[in-house]
Amino acid sequence: MKTNGSSPYRTITALVRDKPGVLNRVSSMFRRRGFNIASLAVGHSEEPNQSRMTFVVEGDERTVEQVNKHLHKLIDVMKVTEVTSENVVARELALIKIRATGDTRTEIIQIVEVFNGKIAGVAPDHLVIEVTGDPDKIESLLGLLKRFGVMEVMRTGTIVMERWIGHLHDSKAAAKNNRKNWGEAASV
Amino acid sequence: MSLKLDGSQLLCESLIREGVVDIFGLPGGAILPLYQTLPQYPNLNHILTRHEQGAAHAADGYARVTGKAGVCWATSGPGATNLVTGLATAQMDSVPIVAVVGQVARASIGSDAFQETDTTGITLPITKHNTLVMEARDIPQVVKEAFHIANTGRKGPVLIDVPKDVQTEIIELPFDSFEEYYSQIEVDLPGYKPTLEGNGSQIKKAVKLIDESNRPVILAGHGIIFSGAYTELRELAEKAQIPVITTLLGISGFPDDHILCVGMPGMHGMAYASLAIEEADLLIALGMRFDDRITGKPSAFSTQSKKIHVDIDPSEIGKNIEVDVPIVGDVKRVLAKLNPQVSDNTHADWLHRIDELKSDHPSHIIRPTDELLPQFIMKEISDVTDSDAIVVTGVGQHQMWAAQHFTYKHPCTFVTSGGSGAMGYEVPGAMGAQVAAPDKTVWSIAGDGGFQMTMSELATIVENNLPVKFAIINNNVLGMVHQWQEFFYDKSYVATGYTANPDFVKLADAFGIKGLRVTDKVQVRGAIEDAMEHDGPVIIDFVVEEEERVYPMIKAGGTIEDLVEEPTKNPQEVG
């Protein structure tokens, strides 16, 4: 789930009205138009009664442009932004339940430490690992842990935020450079 | 002073402030409180349909004639689901409707109560927007926003779902009059701001392309009609001498008898219109969406041309066809800015070429024969009414003949289910059109198939003294499907023939409608004139041959190479 230009995955964020059925409207639109969502995360935003959704969408530029336009078309969607810059923080939380015996426990804990993960739960035959990072990091950790026996994986989906660009930059210009903005509320 | 009103009164009061006069509907348990309030509002004219599909299509026909949202009411459950075909039809063709639907009481929602369905869930993808109102207090706001959404931007249907106990919930408003209260409500839709004005620099680019083009054509769609851009369209066409092609829903947006009119293109369009698109070096698409019935195979569509696309819906731009200059905006406003910048032109060579295409490919000519041809019937009705009638059609062969062989001179005189292709539209659609325009002659051009889908509304038509004239093009088959079976399925006619159609003249009589039967070409003119003179609804049963086919034809997904202009002995040439 990369967000760079060469990847088939693109990241889009949408600011939506926090009303019953909004998630249904959005997911129904994706289904009806045949767009593929790789991940979707929803939560409250900084504004009351507004939520922010982050979609990682599979498709070429034309598809993503259509996704943007159709998101805009929904009355309850207020703003849509495609995150095209490298200069973003992309994070995901994963909980991983992994088989762990006396022999393997230490090795697993060492690996998790390298990834700045935490042991969130301990049981006689397994560990629950909590790890945060960009999706690539989580994929790498999962790859390393595979041989111990992954029992369950729970992932939140990616959320993204632009980094501070710096004092010298005009923040509006910076925003323009870093995002494809389809404009606010251009729905019909 | 304060006002005390219940949810039903709030709804009726709000509808009145929105200018609503006519409502098509059918009551039931969950919407009874609203209906029982109607006697308090004699200015609301409720028309009791025989089926909710009729109510939705009638509201649709009403909206296509007036340009303003039609209104329909239905109860919960089956009442709401019966609206679905009508809402989907309106959504596909961008027709404004406000549907008010009863719902089970709030406490029962989700319990599978009697006549409960998830109406907002079901109608979500076939409405522009929908809302379940959970407090009576919210009703005026929701109604105001529903009309705003339905009537602005790319128009479309909006549904309001109202639980039964919300209809009876009483609220107090700190205002002297409802008028005062309603006028201070502001639409609060931060996510809805349609772009109306076209971008100036994009318009400049379009002007440059138009000025530089040698073989431009205008493709005029439904947007011309809904934005009321007739004058602007005509101005552009005449100023730069650009031929105008009208899509199925664009018909009547530009006068058919205008020297620059080239008619409808595409699957059953005029051959010369499709060929003009093929030879053009510039397409100016105005308020249309490059439907597959027009483009055929998108990658082979008008490959030599640059394309300007003006549409109010940004998601239509680049959806089916890549364009060179997109302009998002209301087509009337965009043309008002664009026209003065466009240079005068004659395009003499190109117009000469169009004339050549017309004479070499005369798709509009009806073949001379003594047979009773449906095409001839269309021409005769067009002539007798002097193009002053509103024509409403069903879907299929007769629809295509009505598109091809009438001469439409005035806006909003051709009413048809385009994108959705809903058979059965012809009866309730005509009913809605007649209610909207009581002083106009409304002709319903019906197929015997579609007519039987919704003919129960004949009773509504009689009850409301609506003098609709029906021309049933009766070939005893589902004609267009039959045609496809001939061309694409080796004449294997499965489930398309009717062996026991009713006697439509007797049927007319049963409804108290004047019925006429025409079996011979010589009777056509007289029957049409009789119908026009009769002061009430008339059904003419035109008994025609089942083998008559619609030409020209370009098969689905085909290219201009697949164009078949006239009857051929070998159906494979079409397939």
Side-chain angles (χ1 to χ4, degrees):
Chain A
M1 268 171 272
K2 294 172 188 169
T3 52
N4 64 44
S6 60
S7 152
Y9 296 103
R10 315 280 177 126
T11 307
I12 295 168
T13 62
L15 193 64
V16 305
R17 292 233 270 186
D18 192 6
K19 289 173 76 178
V22 171
L23 181 58
N24 186 19
R25 284 179 203 282
V26 169
S27 59
S28 171
M29 184 282 288
F30 273 85
R31 175 194 52 77
R32 140 128 174 74
R33 300 274 172 193
F35 300 134
N36 289 323
I37 308 180
S39 83
L40 164 61
V42 193
H44 292 299
S45 72
E46 69 283 4
E47 297 289 337
N49 308 318
Q50 293 179 11
S51 291
R52 190 167 266 114
M53 296 184 176
T54 308
F55 310 89
V56 177
V57 178
E58 193 180 345
D60 57 18
E61 193 167 332
R62 191 169 165 202
T63 308
V64 174
E65 188 179 323
Q66 281 291 313
V67 169
N68 273 281
K69 287 174 171 178
H70 280 102
L71 276 170
H72 259 314
K73 215 167 149 169
L74 299 172
I75 308 287
D76 291 329
V77 173
M78 291 186 292
K79 190 174 177 180
V80 183
T81 307
E82 186 189 354
V83 181
T84 53
S85 164
E86 294 291 305
N87 198 12
V88 293
V89 185
R91 289 290 181 271
E92 186 176 20
L93 170 69
L95 297 173
I96 303 163
K97 189 181 282 176
I98 188 149
R99 250 177 252 292
T101 60
D103 296 341
T104 59
R105 198 174 296 272
T106 318
E107 194 182 346
I108 292 170
I109 291 170
Q110 280 173 350
I111 292 172
V112 170
E113 274 173 4
V114 171
F115 281 80
N116 285 326
K118 277 193 229 165
I119 305 301
V122 184
D125 64 337
H126 69 260
L127 294 170
V128 175
I129 295 161
E130 175 192 325
V131 64
T132 317
D134 65 35
D136 283 350
K137 174 178 160 187
I138 290 167
E139 288 296 328
S140 313
L141 175 61
L142 277 169
L144 286 169
L145 294 177
K146 204 173 167 188
R147 66 190 165 96
F148 301 104
V150 174
M151 297 162 73
E152 199 178 332
V153 177
M154 194 77 94
R155 297 170 68 159
T156 58
T158 310
I159 55 172
V160 296
M161 187 172 282
E162 279 173 70
R163 285 203 180 89
W164 177 242
I165 308 294
H167 300 297
L168 295 175
H169 294 260
D170 169 59
S171 63
K172 272 188 187 164
K176 208 176 163 190
N177 285 337
N178 286 289
R179 295 183 298 196
K180 250 190 205 167
N181 196 330
W182 267 265
E184 286 183 43
S187 55
V188 290
Chain B
M1 264 292 280
S2 71
L3 286 169
K4 256 189 184 171
L5 295 168
D6 69 15
S8 302
Q9 290 170 318
L10 287 169
L11 231 157
C12 292
E13 293 277 359
S14 302
L15 292 178
I16 289 167
R17 304 308 148 198
E18 291 298 334
V20 173
V21 177
D22 301 300
I23 298 164
F24 302 91
L26 202 160
I31 200 169
L32 262 185
L34 180 58
Y35 269 90
Q36 298 312 114
T37 309
L38 264 180
Q40 299 171 30
Y41 300 96
N43 292 338
L44 291 176
N45 174 37
H46 181 266
I47 293 161
L48 172 61
T49 62
R50 293 302 190 270
H51 189 289
E52 291 86 351
Q53 184 186 350
H57 282 326
D60 178 299
Y62 187 93
R64 290 188 206 230
V65 169
T66 60
K68 291 262 167 64
V71 177
C72 57
W73 287 4
T75 193
S76 64
T81 55
N82 281 345
L83 291 179
V84 163
T85 305
L87 293 174
T89 301
Q91 172 78 349
M92 278 293 255
D93 291 349
S94 318
V95 179
I97 287 181
V98 172
V100 178
V101 178
Q103 181 56 278
V104 300
R106 283 169 288 191
S108 303
I109 290 177
S111 72
D112 300 321
F114 177 66
Q115 291 196 329
E116 183 189 1
T117 52
D118 173 13
T119 304
T120 46
I122 288 170
T123 59
L124 193 147
I126 53 161
T127 51
K128 186 172 171 185
H129 194 60
N130 64 23
T131 310
L132 171 64
V133 192
M134 290 297 276
E135 308 275 346
R137 185 166 298 285
D138 296 338
I139 287 175
Q141 181 85 34
V142 166
V143 172
K144 191 168 236 184
E145 289 175 354
F147 278 87
H148 178 70
I149 292 169
N151 281 325
T152 59
R154 180 175 179 174
K155 299 177 185 191
V158 178
L159 180 138
I160 306 172
D161 201 11
V162 193
K164 190 172 185 177
D165 59 333
V166 173
Q167 296 164 37
T168 53
E169 186 188 356
I170 295 168
I171 65 156
E172 237 183 287
L173 297 169
F175 285 87
D176 291 338
S177 72
F178 187 82
E179 177 84 53
E180 191 189 338
Y181 171 65
Y182 198 74
S183 62
Q184 57 83 47
I185 296 175
E186 282 182 20
V187 169
D188 175 29
L189 298 166
Y192 179 74
K193 287 179 195 129
T195 307
L196 299 177
E197 303 295 340
N199 177 295
S201 64
Q202 290 296 98
I203 290 176
K204 279 210 172 61
K205 283 186 205 163
V207 168
K208 187 160 181 285
L209 281 187
I210 294 171
D211 285 350
E212 287 170 356
S213 68
N214 296 314
R215 300 184 307 279
V217 292
I218 290 170
L219 298 181
H222 213 188
I224 295 293
I225 292 174
F226 271 137
S227 78
Y230 326 110
T231 317
E232 290 78 3
L233 169 61
R234 201 168 162 159
E235 195 178 81
L236 173 63
E238 287 173 356
K239 188 174 186 192
Q241 290 294 301
I242 305 172
V244 177
I245 287 171
T246 46
T247 69
L248 179 68
L249 294 182
I251 287 176
S252 89
F254 189 76
D256 277 344
D257 59 344
H258 193 286
I259 191 149
L260 290 167
C261 186
V262 191
M264 180 176 79
M267 181 178 275
H268 292 299
M270 299 291 112
Y272 45 81
S274 299
L275 288 162
I277 289 176
E278 190 56 24
E279 294 187 12
D281 68 352
L282 177 67
L283 298 189
I284 307 161
L286 304 175
M288 56 84 75
R289 59 183 178 87
F290 293 104
D291 181 82
D292 59 78
R293 259 44 185 167
I294 285 174
T295 62
K297 188 180 174 186
S299 61
F301 173 72
S302 190
T303 46
Q304 299 179 45
S305 65
K306 297 231 180 219
K307 294 166 188 81
I308 298 166
H309 191 185
V310 182
D311 203 285
I312 199 158
D313 180 353
S315 76
E316 285 303 343
I317 288 171
K319 188 185 81 178
N320 295 343
I321 296 286
E322 292 289 342
V323 295
D324 300 278
V325 179
I327 303 174
V328 176
D330 176 78
V331 66
K332 186 182 171 84
R333 298 200 196 192
V334 170
L335 289 185
K337 272 198 206 167
L338 180 138
N339 289 352
Q341 302 177 49
V342 170
S343 310
D344 288 6
N345 208 323
T346 57
H347 289 123
D349 291 349
W350 176 228
L351 292 179
H352 177 70
R353 175 62 187 149
I354 298 275
D355 284 342
E356 237 172 51
L357 287 173
K358 279 186 179 173
S359 53
D360 291 351
H361 306 272
S363 314
H364 57 294
I365 304 284
I366 298 165
R367 69 172 193 274
T369 167
D370 291 335
E371 285 172 74
L372 175 55
L373 290 182
Q375 298 90 320
F376 175 76
I377 297 166
M378 306 299 165
K379 178 89 176 45
E380 288 290 284
I381 299 176
S382 182
D383 288 351
V384 172
T385 57
D386 195 22
S387 305
D388 198 29
I390 296 171
V391 174
V392 183
T393 78
V395 171
Q397 289 183 312
H398 68 278
Q399 178 190 31
M400 293 298 110
W401 287 317
Q404 293 172 341
H405 298 289
F406 271 83
T407 305
Y408 299 96
K409 296 181 190 169
H410 310 292
C412 303
T413 52
F414 182 59
V415 174
T416 196
S417 167
S420 194
M423 282 174 65
Y425 184 84
E426 54 262 67
V427 183
M431 175 167 82
Q434 186 76 79
V435 173
D439 300 329
K440 296 281 275 187
T441 304
V442 174
W443 273 91
S444 168
I445 310 298
D448 53 313
F451 185 81
Q452 290 181 76
M453 286 183 171
T454 49
M455 64 188 182
S456 49
E457 299 308 337
L458 292 173
T460 316
I461 282 167
V462 173
E463 228 160 51
N464 291 279
N465 304 311
L466 302 171
V468 180
K469 318 297 177 193
F470 290 93
I472 303 177
I473 308 304
N474 180 7
N475 56 4
N476 281 292
V477 290
L478 294 164
M480 188 58 93
V481 185
H482 201 258
Q483 175 165 344
W484 282 50
Q485 288 171 333
E486 179 188 342
F487 294 168
F488 308 124
Y489 295 91
D490 205 19
K491 297 193 179 185
S492 170
Y493 298 122
V494 182
T496 41
Y498 291 126
T499 54
N501 259 348
D503 178 329
F504 290 113
V505 175
K506 281 187 185 163
L507 187 89
D509 193 43
F511 280 102
I513 294 174
K514 182 183 168 90
L516 300 165
R517 177 166 293 116
V518 170
T519 54
D520 194 289
K521 190 176 178 180
V522 297
Q523 303 168 307
V524 172
R525 171 74 60 142
I528 296 167
E529 284 169 351
D530 276 2
M532 295 286 286
E533 275 159 28
H534 181 68
D535 188 28
V538 177
I539 293 172
I540 310 178
D541 179 21
F542 289 102
V543 182
V544 298
E545 293 297 324
E546 70 172 42
E547 278 83 20
E548 191 57 31
R549 301 303 183 211
V550 181
Y551 291 101
M553 179 161 188
I554 302 173
K555 67 181 179 184
T559 72
I560 197 76
E561 306 295 325
D562 300 310
L563 172 68
V564 179
E565 294 188 50
E566 37 191 55
T568 157
K569 287 254 158 41
N570 179 11
Q572 298 315 314
E573 285 177 31
V574 176

